[in-house]
Amino acid sequence: MTDPPLAPTALAPRAAEPETPGSGVAAAPGAGASLTGSLPARTRLGIGAVIVLVLLAFAVTIGIGMLRGATGAEVIDPAPSTAATLSLAAEAGVYVHIAGAVREPGLYRLDPGDRVADAVARAGGFADDAQRDGVNLARAVADGEQIVVPIVGAQTAAPASGTGGGASGTLDLNTATREQLDELPRVGPAMADRILEWRETNGRFTSVDDLLSVPGIGEKMLAGLRDLVRV
């Protein structure tokens, strides 16, 4: 004998369970809309300060790089100019005019510190009729000077005798050196330079009277030199 079927009974509604954190249930809209909004005010100020410090450090780094670049350019620029100046000074040297009894008279460039012997060598050496002891070979040359090597027989005669001298004892104005002209009466180093300058400018003396064209020489001085010089 079978039991009769049980009559259906209404199930009582299940009571809602309270939500717990981490249960996986989605939060209501608007509950986590702002992450920083839920942070305390002191934390937000700390984050802002860190961002400002990072930006300041970046700006300082860029500024230091620009300053180093500018400073390096100012230090490097003058170096090529100084080197170029020294190079030009070394290349300039000294220039001398070698004339008289040498094989190749002319204008020559010598190194600073060179001597008359070097100048004569550059001019091809002494000519056959050169008075070799008429120049000081050991003397250092100066920029812009003229070196005249005298010809044999162009020495100045000693004027002590007072005889007036002949052609054999007179000084040739066209080959005389500065030292030889300086030995003439009333002719000092300055006047000797003027005579040499006139000779260099005009080529040669054609007459003893041409001395009147040299600044500082007048009729009275020429009368005292006439018997001591020749052309």
Side-chain angles (χ1 to χ4, degrees):
M1 184 173 179
T2 62
D3 295 329
L6 298 176
T9 60
L11 296 176
R14 185 177 180 180
E17 297 180 357
E19 294 183 2
T20 59
S23 61
V25 181
S34 175
L35 178 60
T36 58
S38 62
L39 297 175
R42 182 173 298 176
T43 303
R44 292 198 301 271
L45 290 176
I47 294 175
V50 171
I51 295 174
V52 171
L53 289 176
V54 171
L55 293 177
L56 286 175
F58 183 70
V60 170
T61 302
I62 294 177
I64 292 175
M66 295 176 63
L67 182 60
R68 287 180 177 175
T71 304
E74 291 177 358
V75 173
I76 294 174
D77 283 346
S81 177
T82 303
T85 302
L86 294 176
S87 178
L88 290 175
E91 293 177 359
V94 295
Y95 289 85
V96 296
H97 177 203
I98 309 174
V102 291
R103 299 187 183 278
E104 298 178 2
L107 180 67
Y108 291 91
R109 176 191 174 279
L110 301 175
D111 294 327
D114 280 354
R115 302 184 181 275
V116 174
D118 300 308
V120 173
R122 290 293 304 275
F126 289 111
D128 294 337
D129 57 350
Q131 181 182 332
R132 303 196 175 202
D133 59 351
V135 291
N136 181 6
L137 297 177
R139 179 177 61 83
V141 299
D143 185 42
E145 77 165 300
Q146 183 186 51
I147 302 171
V148 180
V149 179
I151 298 174
V152 174
Q155 289 181 324
T156 304
S161 62
T163 59
S168 60
T170 57
L171 180 65
D172 190 337
L173 292 175
N174 292 313
T175 59
T177 65
R178 182 177 184 271
E179 292 78 8
Q180 291 173 332
L181 291 170
D182 187 18
E183 295 178 359
L184 293 172
R186 302 179 62 185
V187 176
M191 184 61 68
D193 288 338
R194 294 177 190 174
I195 294 173
L196 293 177
E197 183 179 355
W198 190 96
R199 187 173 70 190
E200 182 178 359
T201 302
N202 297 278
R204 59 180 283 112
F205 289 94
T206 58
S207 170
V208 174
D209 292 333
D210 288 341
L211 285 174
L212 292 173
S213 301
V214 178
I217 298 181
E219 292 287 350
K220 186 176 181 179
M221 185 174 180
L222 177 62
L225 296 174
R226 187 178 296 277
D227 294 334
L228 301 176
V229 295
R230 61 186 173 87
V231 293

